[in-house]
Amino acid sequence: MAVLSPQVVFTLFGLQITDTIVSTWVMMLIIIIVAIIIKRFKPDLGEMIIESINSIISTVMAEDEDVTKYLPILGTLGIFLLVANIFGIVPRMVSPTANINTTIALSIIIFFAVHVYGIKEKGLWGYLKDFANPIFILPLEIVSQFSRTLSLAVRLFGNIFSTDLIVAIVFVLIPFIAPLPLAALGILTGVLQAYIFLVLASLYIASAVEVQEVEQERRELKQTIKESSR
Amino acid sequence: MWQLDSQTLITIITILGATIGIVIGCIVPAIMEGIAVQKALDGIARQPDAANDLRTTLLISMALLESTAIYVLLVILVLLFANPILDRFF
C-alpha cells in the first residue's frame, strides 16, 4: 500500500500536504513564469502554441465549428497534462498525474464541462431530449457518460504510474544506465497520453454539441420541404 | 507435506493469480493493437491522402484498446499491494 499512496511532506492547518501537491505547486509556478516570459518577450511563440492546440482540437470538431470557444478549458488542460506527465523526470519531483486523485479530478472537470457546453449550446430541454432520442438509448447513454469518465481517469493514471513504477523497479535492480531508455519511453508515453486525453475531451465536447446541428439541418430541411410543397 | 498457514496460502494464490492475469491481460490487447495498426498501415499505404485522418483515429482507438490492459494492471496492483482479503481476515 505504501507504493500506491503518496508520501506526506508536511502538515498545514491539519491538512496533510503530499508530494503530489508540492510537485503541482512547483509545476504551476514554472508554467506561470514561462507563460509570462513568452507573453512579454516572444508573442510569436505563444501564437504558434495556440495555433497548434487549435489544430489538434479542430481535427475532431465539426468543420465549421469555432474552436476558440473551447480553447480556455482544453488548451489549459493540454498544457497542464503535457507538463505534468513528463514532470517525473525532474529530480525530487513526482508526476502529479501518477496520483489517481489528480486524474479523477481532471476527468470530473471534463464530465461537467461536457454538460455545461451542451446545455449552453442547445438549452436545457433540447440537451435532455438528445439523451433519449430514441427512448431505449437512455440507459446506454447514462452508463456511457459515467464509464467514459472513469476510463478517462484510469487510463491516464495507469499509464503514467506504470511507467514510473517500471523505472523505479529497474533502478532498484540495475541503478547505472539501464533505467534511462525506460525513462525516455516514459516521456514518449506521457506526451502521447496528454495528446490522447486532449483529443478525447474535445471529442466528448464535440459529441455533446454536434447533435444539435444535425437536428437543425433536419428542421431546416423540413421547413424547405414544407415551403416548396406549398 | 508442509503445513502452510492460511495467510501464506492466500499470498501464494494471489501472486500466482496476479502473474497469470497480467500475462493474459498483456497478450490479448497487444495482439489486438497489432491488428489495428496493421489495418491502419494498409489503409495509409493504399490511400496516402487519408493519412492524417487515419492517424488521429488510430491513436484514439489505440488508447481505448490499451486501457483494457491498464485495467488489468490496476486490478493486479490492488491485489498485490492493497489486498482486501489479507487485511480483513488477519
Side-chain angles (χ1 to χ4, degrees), chain A residues 1 3-4 59 151 154-155 157-159 161-162 165 192 195-196 199-200, chain B residues 53 55-56 59-60 62-64 66-67 70-71 73-74 77-78 81-82:
Chain A
M1 196 62 203
V3 185
L4 290 177
T59 52
S151 82
V154 167
R155 180 184 308 120
F157 164 70
N159 273 293
F161 179 73
S162 62
L165 195 69
L192 196 63
Y195 173 75
I196 283 167
V199 166
L200 281 179
Chain B
D53 288 347
R55 196 175 300 126
T56 313
L59 280 178
I60 296 173
M62 288 278 276
L64 292 176
E66 187 153 325
S67 56
I70 297 292
Y71 297 153
L73 176 77
L74 277 184
L77 283 179
V78 168
F81 295 113

Side-chain angles (χ1 to χ4, degrees), chain A residues 14-200:
Chain A
L15 286 174
Q16 290 177 335
I17 308 294
T18 56
D19 51 357
T20 308
I21 298 176
V22 176
S23 301
T24 314
W25 285 343
V26 174
M27 208 184 78
M28 277 158 55
L29 207 66
I30 290 172
I31 291 177
I32 289 169
I33 289 172
V34 169
I36 288 172
I37 288 174
I38 284 178
K39 190 191 171 213
R40 185 71 51 83
F41 298 108
K42 278 209 173 291
D44 299 348
L45 187 62
E47 214 165 278
M48 209 184 75
I49 293 169
I50 288 175
E51 273 304 314
S52 60
I53 293 173
N54 258 345
S55 73
I56 290 175
I57 299 171
S58 61
T59 52
V60 291
M61 290 271 178
E63 291 278 318
D64 50 347
E65 188 76 37
D66 180 25
V67 290
T68 46
K69 207 163 42 178
Y70 310 110
L71 194 65
I73 182 163
L74 291 177
T76 314
L77 194 77
I79 292 170
F80 178 82
L81 283 177
L82 185 65
V83 183
N85 286 352
I86 63 177
F87 205 61
I89 60 168
V90 178
R92 306 192 65 80
M93 293 286 147
V94 295
S95 290
T97 40
N99 187 339
I100 197 163
N101 299 307
T102 315
T103 58
I104 283 183
L106 287 176
S107 67
I108 286 174
I109 291 171
I110 292 302
F111 175 78
F112 282 110
V114 166
H115 297 309
V116 166
Y117 279 123
I119 289 172
K120 204 186 273 182
E121 281 291 314
K122 313 178 193 173
L124 183 60
W125 181 242
Y127 183 66
L128 287 179
K129 212 165 66 178
D130 273 344
F131 265 89
N133 188 26
I135 187 69
F136 57 83
I137 223 158
L138 179 66
L140 291 176
E141 274 287 336
I142 292 171
V143 168
S144 91
Q145 290 289 333
F146 287 102
S147 78
R148 76 192 186 186
T149 306
L150 185 70
S151 82
L152 207 60
V154 167
R155 180 184 308 120
L156 185 60
F157 164 70
N159 273 293
I160 306 302
F161 179 73
S162 62
T163 46
D164 281 7
L165 195 69
I166 288 167
V167 170
I169 290 171
V170 173
F171 185 77
V172 170
L173 295 175
I174 316 163
F176 190 42
I177 300 253
L180 279 180
L182 291 170
L185 187 71
I187 294 174
L188 181 70
T189 315
V191 173
L192 196 63
Q193 288 301 318
Y195 173 75
I196 283 167
F197 197 100
L198 182 62
V199 166
L200 281 179

